[in-house]
Amino acid sequence: MRYLISVIDDKSNPGSTDRRPAISAFNERLVAEGHWVFAGGLADTDAATVVDNRGEQAVFSDGPFVESKEYLAGVWVWEAPDLDVALQLAAEASKVCDRKIEVRPFR
């Protein structure tokens, strides 16, 4: 089963910025164990644009879709046999990247 792993940072109490070596080592382990599908860090929310084309014409709005002190800082997509494995990996990921993690299965 595949899981979307959201890395959540906090503008008022951000995670440490020196985590790249630890994250790289964790990513290498994910690859070696067959869990890695995709990962990427995201630009700051100031770089976001929301597009809404549900009406007569498309509306483009600068900034994130919701203003919040917490924001999506990056994502992983993992392959795991079940939720328990995904949650164990997420607990490790949270420690490694010094941020909260949300785990959501794909349908």
Side-chain angles (χ1 to χ4, degrees):
M1 178 165 240
R2 288 201 172 166
Y3 295 87
L4 175 66
I5 311 304
S6 300
V7 179
I8 303 164
D9 209 348
D10 185 328
K11 290 182 180 186
S12 64
N13 185 21
S16 26
T17 58
D18 62 346
R19 307 306 300 165
R20 286 187 189 252
I23 294 168
S24 292
F26 181 71
N27 285 339
E28 289 172 13
R29 193 179 123 220
L30 290 172
V31 170
E33 294 178 1
H35 299 297
W36 174 275
V37 176
F38 172 82
L42 298 173
D44 191 79
T45 57
D46 293 343
T49 303
V50 176
V51 180
D52 185 353
N53 196 20
R54 296 175 294 171
E56 295 290 318
Q57 63 187 60
V59 176
F60 301 89
S61 304
D62 292 337
F65 70 96
V66 65
E67 293 289 337
S68 172
K69 69 177 188 147
E70 294 184 329
Y71 63 96
L72 184 62
V75 297
W76 275 290
V77 176
W78 294 340
E79 183 75 40
D82 56 46
L83 181 60
D84 289 338
V85 172
L87 292 176
Q88 179 60 41
L89 290 169
E92 294 176 48
S94 178
K95 180 72 80 180
V96 166
C97 68
D98 192 30
R99 286 160 179 82
K100 292 195 305 189
I101 302 291
E102 178 185 73
V103 177
R104 294 177 71 181
F106 283 93
R107 292 184 181 186

